[in-house]
Amino acid sequence: MTRNQFKVTRRDALLTAAGAAAGVALGAPMASPALAAAPMLGALRPQVYRFTLGEFEVTTISDGAVQLDGPHPIFGNNRPAEEVQNYAAAHALPTTRHEISFAPTVVNTGSELILFDTGNGAARREAGAGHLRELLSAAGYQPGQFDVVVITHGHPDHIGGLIEDGEPAFANARYVVGETEHQAWKTGEGIPEGRRENQQMYNQVVVPLEEKMTFLQPEGEVVSGIRAVDAFGHSPGQLAFHVESGGERVLLWADVANHYILAVHKPEWHLSFDHDKEAAVTTRQRIFDMVATDKIPAIGYHMPFPAVGYLDTYDGGYRWVPASYQLHL
Ligand SMILES: [Zn+2]
């Protein structure tokens, strides 16, 4: 702010005097000529967020969000509708519509640029998602700069951005995918009927990139400092990732939890999207316990943007505590 903005002009002074003389109450709007009307711009959400982690830089980018009916029976699939609706209402959430947002994450190790998940791609652009590609430049990156693209699991909102206009969207990247996950989607073994379209998509979008792919087991490394963590359940072989540099760490938990209240407070509630619902519950409890006990930050693909936070124990489950300045000190 410059000093000029505080300068009182002779005209302002006269107007003030006139207002006072007319008995205008303090704080009432002053009569002043209207400026040109500013256009209405519509809702605007935060889209890019970056923090440093030791020697690394970690950036979350919003791929957008879609609105769906629910939350029940998507969330609390094994609970009565009324219980889920009451719980939502008690936590300031609408009971008949909800939103799912998407946060692909970039890790720059200083020597390699790594993208975790690719968003929805063109297929959901009309619906409000698929914006990773256009927002990369706002984050300071170009698609051709990526050395590695990691796919946490094979669902459409994670693989949809791999191909753009029929070409690989990250032309110079190699790919890292979980071995169990890849085999399940490639062969269709154990994939339920309701996921057939998803399986076809995986075979169209991911399998053609096999030549440039490395397959990981839990505990396997993407690069030095980035290690896979077993997160099976939501999908046949989902992987979470520990990212560690200079003694600091963060856990990218992918889709271990798909809602910051309904899945985090109630890890035992089933999610209709979960492949093996009981395994997903066990995984949620194990990962949440680790994040809460170790007091480490987590990045959740479907947590509210910027999708970085911590966990406290709460109400028999856990509570998502959005990161504020902890990672900037
Ligand atoms: Zn997802």
Side-chain angles (χ1 to χ4, degrees), residues 197-211:
E197 228 174 272
N198 190 163
Q199 197 219 334
Q200 279 169 14
M201 180 183 175
Y202 192 92
N203 276 280
Q204 283 161 5
V205 167
V206 185
V207 174
L209 304 170
E210 251 180 346
E211 241 173 45

Side-chain angles (χ1 to χ4, degrees), residues 239-262:
L239 295 175
F241 290 88
H242 244 302
V243 178
E244 186 162 358
S245 173
E248 296 178 42
R249 56 189 176 129
V250 64
L251 183 79
L252 270 85
W253 78 30
D255 286 18
V256 166
N258 286 45
H259 192 287
Y260 74 110
I261 286 175
L262 303 171

Side-chain angles (χ1 to χ4, degrees), residues 113 133 136-137 141-147 149 168-173:
L113 193 64
R133 193 174 174 82
L136 276 177
S137 59
Y141 304 116
Q142 297 304 322
Q145 284 179 295
F146 285 86
D147 298 288
V149 173
F170 305 95
N172 303 313

Side-chain angles (χ1 to χ4, degrees), residues 100-102 153 155 157-158 234 238 254-255 258 301-302:
I100 296 191
S101 58
F102 314 92
H153 65 292
H155 288 169
D157 52 321
H158 300 255
H234 176 66
Q238 175 177 246
D255 286 18
N258 286 45
Y301 193 75
H302 296 295

Side-chain angles (χ1 to χ4, degrees), residues 25 29 34 46 63 99 107 117 144 163 191 227 257 301 306 317:
D63 188 58
E99 181 173 280
V107 176
D117 291 331
I163 302 287
I191 299 295
R227 176 173 54 84
Y301 193 75

